[in-house]
Amino acid sequence: MGIMDGLRSMFGVASKQAYTGSQRDASRYDLTEFSGWNPSLGFAGSDMFGEWDVITGRARDLDQNNGWVNAGIDRRVESVIGGQIRLSAQPQHELLNRDYEWRMGWTADVQARFKSWANDIEHRNDARQRLNFGAQAKLAYLTYVRDGESCAEIRDDARGIPNTTNVLLIEPERVCQPNNQAESSTLRRGIRYDRNGAAIGYYVRSGNPNDPVPDSQILRWDYIPVRGKTGRAKFVHIYSPRRVEQNRGISRLAEVMLPAKMLDRVDRAEVNAALKSAIFSLFIKSPGTTQDLEAALAPSGSGATMDPWIEAYLDQRSKNPVRVEGAQVNHLLPDEDVVTPERSSPNTNYSEFAQFILRKIAGSLGVATPQLTGDWSAINYSSARALLNEIWRSFLEDRHYFTQHFLTPIYAAWLEMEVALGTVKVPGGPVNFYRNKTAICMAEWIGPGRGSVDPLKESNSNNLDAAAGRASTVEHILERGRDPSDVLAEEAWWLEERRKRGLDAPNYNTKAASDAVAADGGDSGTGTQDDRDGDGQPNEAEKGKSKQKEPAQ
C-alpha cells in the first residue's frame, strides 16, 4: 500500500467514525465551526519560543500608551499588594515544642526587626537603593501581571547595617540562553534543571539586551544558583503556570491585546470625527474670472494684464484678511466651490462597543469593570457587594500565591542572616533553624483591606458572626488590612491612658446604648433613635406604632 493509499485509509476511517457518532463532536472535522482548526498539542517548555519577546513588548506598550490597560493593571496591583505589604510571621510553635505565648513574643520581635530592615531610610534593602521593600514587592507584582513573570536575586552586601541581605529586581528578558547556545533537556531559556525538572540555577545576562549603551552589550552571563550551600535562597523566579511542564510565564494581557488595539483604533476614529465636525470654516468666493486668475499668476513681463479691480481686490485682502475667532477662513480661487460632506460617526454604537471591549479587558486582568472604567453609576449596594465578593477571592488567591513564592523566600533568607548574627533566637540554637526551617519561616502577608460598601450593615454583620463564633475578631481586622497585634496593642495602651485620666472605658455595644436611649423615651436630646434590630435605622415597629397613634392626637 502506498503512502497516499494509507492516508486515504486513515482519513476515511476518521471520517466514518465522525459520521457514525462514535466520537464526540469536539473531535470532528466535518463541522463548519471546526474547519481549519487543527492546533497541535505542543510542548509547554518551548511552545512560546519566538513569541515571548513580541507578546511582552506589546504588553509593555499597552501599559505605557493605553489608559484603560494601565488603569486596570494599577487597580489590580493596588488591591492585591498595595505599597505597604507587611509581614505576619507564623511559626509553627507546636513543632518547636513552644506555647502560643512564646510564639507571639517571638513574632513581635521578628516583625519589628524585619520592618526596620524593609523600611530602611537609605533603602539598603534594595540593591539599587531606590525602593523600600513594600515598593519592591509592588513593582515585582506589577511585572508579574504585565510580563507574566518576575525575577530577583538575593544578595549580601555590606552597607553599614548588620543584616547584609538585599534584593535586586531583574527584568525577565535578562534570563536567557548563555551565548545563544542551543537548548537541551537540562537547559531551557536560560534556566538550568536537574533530572527531575527542578530549577537549580539561572543564567542572567550582565546587561539588558535592549540597552543602547555600548558597554551594556558585553556578552557575559552570570550563573546564579537557586540556593546557596546552606539552602538559603539566592534567586527567586515566579510565574503562574497553566501547563505542567511550562517553564516561563506569559502576560495576562495576551488574550486581550487584539480587542484592546481595536478599541484604540475605534477611539481615535471617533475622536477625529468629532474634531472634524467641530471645526467651523468660512469660504470666501471671489468675483474674478479664470482670465483674471491667469493674469494674476502669470510671470512678470509676459505681457498679460490684470483687471485693475482684481488687483485692488487682492491688495485689499492681503492687507486686511478676514478673521473670525475660533474659525478657519479660506479664500477660494475663482469659479471654485466647496462641497462639505455630512459627518458620519465611525460607530454609532461606540459607547456599547467600548463597554463590551472594556469588560473583556477587565475580565482578563481580574478586576471589576467599574474599577477599570471608574464608572460606578450603574452599581447599587447589592451588585457592589456581589462584585466585591467575587473579585476579593481572586485577589486573596493571587496575593497568597505571589507572596508565598516570591516574598516568603526573601523573608527566609533575611531571617537566616538574623539567626546567624544572633539577633534572633530560635529554639535549639542556630543549627535547629535548618532542621525546622519551614516551621520557623512560615509567614503570611497583610495587604490592602477588603473595603466596605455599607460600613454600618457590614459592622453589624461582623458583630453577629463574632458573637455566634462563625468568625473571629482577628479575621475581621485582617480584612481591613490591619495587623491584629498592632490593633490590640493600641487598644490596650488607650484603655490604660483613659484609666490614668479618670475616663471610663468606651462603650462599644452601640446596640445596647440605643436600647438604653429607647427606654429613656426614644430620644434624650442627642438625636439618637431606637435601633433594636441593628440595621442603622430607627426601629420600624416603633415607627409603625407612632404612625398609628397620630390620628388620636
Side-chain angles (χ1 to χ4, degrees):
M1 181 183 294
I3 295 177
M4 293 304 297
D5 292 335
L7 291 174
R8 290 191 188 98
S9 175
M10 179 178 65
F11 284 108
V13 172
S15 177
K16 182 179 179 181
Q17 289 176 340
Y19 281 107
T20 57
S22 60
Q23 293 183 338
R24 293 180 175 86
D25 286 344
S27 66
R28 292 173 60 176
Y29 290 90
D30 59 302
L31 299 179
T32 303
E33 291 78 6
F34 294 156
S35 177
W37 187 24
N38 303 302
S40 62
L41 291 177
F43 171 57
S46 60
D47 64 354
M48 288 186 295
F49 184 78
E51 296 181 355
W52 190 89
D53 291 351
V54 175
I55 294 174
T56 304
R58 288 174 176 171
R60 293 176 182 176
D61 182 72
L62 285 174
D63 182 26
Q64 292 173 349
N65 298 303
N66 186 298
W68 300 116
V69 172
N70 178 274
I73 292 175
D74 285 351
R75 297 297 83 76
R76 184 163 189 90
V77 173
E78 291 166 5
S79 301
V80 175
I81 298 296
Q84 299 179 3
I85 195 162
R86 287 165 293 168
L87 167 72
S88 176
Q90 303 283 329
Q92 296 295 296
H93 59 279
E94 301 92 344
L95 300 180
L96 302 173
N97 295 319
R98 293 293 186 273
D99 56 18
Y100 197 78
E101 184 176 356
W102 170 88
R103 167 182 161 170
M104 297 308 293
W106 187 87
T107 55
D109 176 65
V110 169
Q111 288 171 190
R113 293 180 182 278
F114 185 83
K115 184 177 181 180
S116 177
W117 171 84
N119 295 279
D120 182 75
I121 59 174
E122 297 179 15
H123 305 316
R124 285 169 288 190
N125 58 281
D126 181 3
R128 295 185 177 92
Q129 292 190 247
R130 294 187 305 181
L131 306 171
N132 63 22
F133 186 73
Q136 281 184 295
K138 179 180 178 180
L139 180 57
Y141 180 75
L142 189 153
T143 305
Y144 165 72
V145 171
R146 184 195 58 216
D147 298 352
E149 57 183 280
S150 192
C151 309
E153 180 186 0
I154 301 175
R155 294 184 165 189
D156 289 292
D157 300 298
R159 294 182 170 186
I161 54 177
N163 196 318
T164 57
T165 306
N166 60 89
V167 180
L168 177 68
L169 297 180
I170 295 173
E171 295 277 15
E173 61 264 33
R174 287 180 58 188
V175 177
C176 54
Q177 289 292 98
N179 298 309
N180 298 318
Q181 64 179 272
E183 291 190 351
S184 66
S185 60
T186 59
L187 179 60
R188 298 183 186 276
R189 303 185 66 184
I191 307 174
R192 177 70 69 182
Y193 297 92
D194 64 13
R195 292 180 299 174
N196 296 320
I200 58 175
Y202 290 76
Y203 288 93
V204 181
R205 199 176 189 275
S206 58
N208 193 297
N210 301 300
D211 190 344
V213 177
D215 59 3
S216 70
Q217 300 303 315
I218 299 175
L219 299 180
R220 191 189 85 242
W221 278 262
D222 298 317
Y223 179 75
I224 304 174
V226 173
R227 297 174 184 83
K229 295 180 180 180
T230 64
R232 184 169 182 257
K234 299 287 290 181
F235 196 91
V236 286
H237 175 220
I238 184 173
Y239 61 95
S240 181
R242 298 187 72 89
R243 294 184 61 184
V244 174
E245 297 179 353
Q246 184 176 336
N247 52 33
R248 298 297 292 263
I250 198 70
S251 173
R252 272 181 175 265
L253 303 174
E255 294 79 10
V256 293
M257 286 182 179
L258 185 58
K261 291 303 291 183
M262 287 180 177
L263 180 60
D264 269 350
R265 293 180 61 187
V266 174
D267 193 50
R268 286 196 193 93
E270 186 72 17
V271 172
N272 287 336
L275 181 62
K276 291 177 182 177
S277 173
I279 295 178
F280 173 53
S281 299
L282 296 178
F283 295 88
I284 297 178
K285 195 170 182 179
S286 60
T289 65
T290 303
Q291 291 75 17
D292 294 329
L293 176 63
E294 293 175 350
L297 299 179
S300 59
S302 62
T305 59
M306 188 185 344
D307 187 324
W309 190 94
I310 296 296
E311 187 173 4
Y313 172 80
L314 294 175
D315 181 66
Q316 172 69 11
R317 280 287 167 262
S318 63
K319 293 179 180 179
N320 301 290
V322 178
R323 293 188 178 91
V324 178
E325 184 176 357
Q328 178 179 342
V329 180
N330 300 307
H331 293 264
L332 301 182
L333 298 177
D335 292 336
E336 284 187 328
D337 202 353
V338 175
V339 177
T340 305
E342 294 184 4
R343 181 211 173 195
S344 59
S345 174
N347 185 357
T348 55
N349 298 318
Y350 169 72
S351 179
E352 291 78 5
F353 171 77
Q355 285 293 326
F356 170 71
I357 297 297
L358 292 174
R359 283 196 293 270
K360 295 184 71 173
I361 295 175
S364 181
L365 287 173
V367 298
T369 303
Q371 282 185 294
L372 183 68
T373 63
D375 181 10
W376 297 85
S377 58
I379 300 296
N380 56 31
Y381 172 79
S382 298
S383 58
R385 186 66 181 171
L387 180 150
L388 181 61
N389 288 338
E390 287 297 318
I391 64 174
W392 187 247
R393 286 195 294 269
S394 171
F395 291 160
L396 288 182
E397 186 276 334
D398 213 20
R399 179 188 299 169
H400 181 78
Y401 181 82
F402 180 81
T403 55
Q404 294 303 315
H405 290 80
F406 196 85
L407 300 187
T408 299
I410 297 175
Y411 158 65
W414 169 88
L415 182 58
E416 181 175 339
M417 182 61 69
E418 291 288 328
V419 172
L421 293 171
T423 51
V424 171
K425 307 296 183 181
V426 295
V431 175
N432 208 36
F433 174 84
Y434 300 100
R435 295 173 182 165
N436 298 281
K437 185 174 181 179
T438 300
I440 294 172
C441 297
M442 291 185 71
E444 295 292 338
W445 298 83
I446 302 173
R450 178 177 183 175
S452 177
V453 178
D454 188 324
L456 181 59
K457 289 183 178 179
E458 292 167 23
S459 295
N460 287 333
S461 176
N462 290 343
N463 289 342
L464 291 174
D465 286 341
R470 292 187 294 265
S472 68
T473 304
V474 171
E475 181 180 344
H476 296 146
I477 295 173
L478 288 172
E479 281 190 355
R480 293 177 175 268
R482 295 291 309 278
D483 187 336
S485 298
D486 290 344
V487 174
L488 181 63
E490 291 173 6
E491 190 70 10
W493 188 88
W494 279 112
L495 288 174
E496 180 63 21
E497 190 68 16
R498 291 178 69 91
R499 187 190 65 78
K500 291 179 180 178
R501 300 183 182 219
L503 300 174
D504 294 333
N507 181 10
Y508 297 114
N509 190 353
T510 55
K511 186 175 180 180
S514 62
D515 287 344
V517 172
D520 209 17
D523 191 344
S524 300
T526 61
T528 303
Q529 293 178 301
D530 184 21
D531 181 21
R532 296 182 181 179
D533 53 5
D535 64 354
Q537 301 295 329
N539 185 264
E540 289 80 358
E542 293 298 324
K543 289 191 293 183
K545 292 178 182 178
S546 62
K547 288 181 179 179
Q548 293 173 359
K549 294 178 180 179
E550 286 179 359
Q553 294 176 355

